[in-house]
Amino acid sequence: MDISNSKKSTYNKQAQAENVVYIVDDLLSKAVKFGASDVHFEPTGAELAVKYRLDGVLNTVEKLPKSLSDNIIARLKVLGGLLTYRNDIPQEGRIEINKSQNDQVTDQRLAVFPTIHGQRAVVRLFYSNTELMELKKLGFSNQLYTALKQIAAKNMGVLLLTGPAGSGKSTTLAALLRHILKNYPGKSVVTLEDPVEIKIEGATQTQITPHGKMTFPTALRSLLRQDPQVLMIGEIRDAETAKIAIEAGLTGHLLMSTMHSGTPAGAFLRLLEMGIEPYQVTSSISAVLNQRLVRQLCQRCKKKSEQADSFEAAGCDECFNTGYKGRILIAEMVQLDSDLRKAILAKADLEELETLLMSKGHANMLTDGQRLINDGLTTQDELNKVCGFSS
């Protein structure tokens, strides 16, 4: 899809060399206008492809001459405060936001990486979305919403969120912390993040700097001596952090964090692989929440399906002819019961845990997504794609 609606570049080629600043500013400005979450600058052998990630899907919006590639990347590095003369190493930085021109974006992060065709750059955009600040507005089913409120009311235990990057985990954690601060005033809420993505009024937030001396384990050990009641760790990445987090959940702290795992059952096994004892897992983990974001049908152009009592994507100017506009949440949660605890203590493998959950009627993400199909909000094809199933 070419958002410019033209096969040729929208920029005057004769003036491109002098207008690199304008080109970069214009591409970033348009990305915000279209609601892109990421802007990719990808060099190839013949050109520099510019792509926007819209509702989780990459779309090519511009193809710039190869001769401009180095200048475009250099301009981005200047904006991000990076070393313009180092083209052989990965670099990360932040692009300052002009609040007088843009009040939608809260943060712009730049990552540059060397390739055989030149440097590749990605700008990630973070938006202020007041609609997603409250837990009840995130789109959870009534059952999951109730379960999350019950977990938030606890004084100890660990809640783990799993899902790929861009699945809304940070938004969910921030909403949970706001819920606790609002409904249980007086609680000490502290976060450790790399980096701080969402500012939460009333919480003490600390940013962990990559390669710095204050690592997650170091900061977490110190914080436990400062009488926190609710802790949020951006991600459990290693065995040392996992061990301290589990201990915190066992010693009178409510701890929330994310972990790389495709399924709730996989999260339990990941903890065991990190060296956490089975009895510690069963005693500390309150629940594992696994979530994804599916594209929402464009409400302007969606059409009734002829083969089923549902809707399908069509495409119009409003949604750039994709048939979808915006994304919506699907999720599944596993809370430990006696059968699951016994299986974990017996060190059951992934297949055994999945079979046990299935036998107990566990509602997975496909099941949760069915409610969105019934309400005409998404399609079965989109649901299958996000959940990793073939149509």
Side-chain angles (χ1 to χ4, degrees):
M1 179 194 70
D2 189 345
I3 293 177
S4 66
N5 291 321
S6 171
K7 293 182 180 179
K8 296 181 179 179
S9 172
T10 57
Y11 305 105
N12 185 307
K13 288 183 171 57
Q14 186 176 4
Q16 281 174 344
E18 297 87 27
N19 286 319
V20 167
V21 171
Y22 164 74
I23 293 172
V24 171
D25 288 349
D26 190 54
L27 286 169
L28 294 180
S29 177
K30 285 181 178 177
V32 174
K33 176 183 176 182
F34 295 133
S37 59
D38 302 86
V39 184
H40 289 227
F41 297 83
E42 299 184 0
T44 68
E47 62 197 11
L48 178 68
V50 182
K51 303 177 182 180
Y52 291 170
R53 187 174 294 282
L54 302 170
D55 298 328
V57 178
L58 274 178
N59 301 269
T60 300
V61 297
E62 278 292 342
K63 293 180 179 179
L64 300 172
K66 180 69 174 177
S67 58
L68 278 179
S69 183
D70 289 346
N71 289 336
I72 293 288
I73 301 300
R75 173 58 184 168
L76 287 168
K77 290 164 79 172
V78 168
L79 290 173
L82 306 184
L83 302 175
T84 55
Y85 59 87
R86 292 303 302 268
N87 302 328
D88 57 337
I89 59 171
Q91 296 189 65
E92 296 179 7
R94 270 190 168 86
I95 296 177
E96 194 70 27
I97 300 166
N98 189 334
K99 289 295 184 181
S100 63
Q101 298 177 356
N102 182 3
D103 58 358
Q104 296 174 264
V105 176
T106 59
D107 199 4
Q108 296 180 126
R109 294 190 202 134
L110 171 66
V112 179
F113 198 87
T115 76
I116 60 171
H117 294 301
Q119 296 174 91
R120 179 180 187 270
V122 176
V123 178
R124 169 156 282 193
L125 303 170
F126 293 85
Y127 298 86
S128 57
N129 194 331
T130 55
E131 294 179 1
L132 299 180
M133 293 180 68
E134 295 184 40
L135 187 61
K136 64 181 179 181
K137 293 183 178 180
L138 296 188
F140 287 108
S141 66
N142 291 332
Q143 183 179 1
L144 285 183
Y145 174 54
T146 300
L148 285 170
K149 287 195 297 180
Q150 291 172 347
I151 291 171
K154 293 183 176 181
N155 293 322
M156 61 185 296
V158 177
L159 170 67
L160 292 179
L161 272 67
T162 63
S167 59
K169 300 186 298 296
S170 296
T171 301
T172 297
L173 284 172
L176 274 165
L177 294 181
R178 289 192 189 96
H179 175 84
I180 291 172
L181 289 164
K182 179 181 178 180
N183 292 278
Y184 307 99
K187 279 197 171 183
S188 172
V189 177
V190 183
T191 77
L192 297 176
E193 304 168 72
D194 173 23
V196 174
E197 294 188 4
I198 303 171
K199 294 182 180 179
I200 304 166
E201 191 69 32
T204 298
Q205 295 177 270
T206 301
Q207 182 158 302
I208 304 298
T209 305
H211 315 301
K213 291 185 178 180
M214 189 169 73
T215 62
F216 275 109
T218 301
L220 190 51
R221 281 197 192 93
S222 179
L223 272 179
L224 291 177
R225 304 187 191 100
Q226 294 205 347
D227 192 32
Q229 292 166 289
V230 182
L231 282 164
M232 190 272 273
I233 306 174
E235 183 184 346
I236 294 178
R237 300 176 178 175
D238 53 61
E240 189 177 6
T241 305
K243 182 178 179 182
I244 303 169
I246 293 297
E247 290 175 354
L250 289 169
T251 55
H253 304 87
L254 176 60
L255 187 138
M256 306 174 188
S257 187
T258 68
M259 174 180 282
H260 280 296
S261 174
T263 64
F268 295 122
L269 295 184
R270 179 98 194 278
L271 288 171
L272 296 179
E273 290 169 358
M274 286 181 170
I276 306 300
E277 293 295 331
Y279 76 88
Q280 291 180 312
V281 174
T282 58
S283 301
S284 62
I285 303 296
S286 299
V288 177
L289 176 69
N290 188 29
Q291 65 180 60
R292 303 285 189 279
L293 294 174
V294 298
R295 289 185 296 170
Q296 186 171 342
L297 279 167
C298 175
Q299 298 304 300
R300 177 180 170 184
C301 67
K302 69 177 182 180
K303 61 181 182 179
K304 195 77 172 179
S305 174
E306 297 178 358
Q307 300 178 344
D309 187 23
S310 60
F311 288 87
E312 58 186 34
C316 66
D317 293 339
E318 186 78 17
C319 61
F320 310 117
N321 294 312
T322 64
Y324 297 92
K325 188 174 183 181
R327 290 192 288 175
I328 194 166
L329 185 72
I330 57 172
E332 62 180 325
M333 178 185 282
V334 170
Q335 293 180 280
L336 275 77
D337 59 15
S338 59
D339 292 332
L340 190 54
R341 286 190 174 92
K342 289 176 183 177
I344 293 173
L345 289 170
K347 297 186 177 181
D349 60 23
L350 183 61
E351 184 177 353
E352 290 173 321
L353 290 179
E354 296 283 8
T355 301
L356 174 60
L357 290 173
M358 191 180 302
S359 69
K360 299 173 74 65
H362 168 64
N364 60 22
M365 285 190 296
L366 273 175
T367 304
D368 186 51
Q370 192 61 48
R371 65 188 171 89
L372 304 181
I373 295 175
N374 296 339
D375 292 338
L377 296 176
T378 193
T379 63
Q380 188 67 55
D381 287 345
E382 174 67 9
L383 190 61
N384 290 343
K385 177 184 175 183
V386 170
C387 294
F389 293 91
S390 59
S391 301

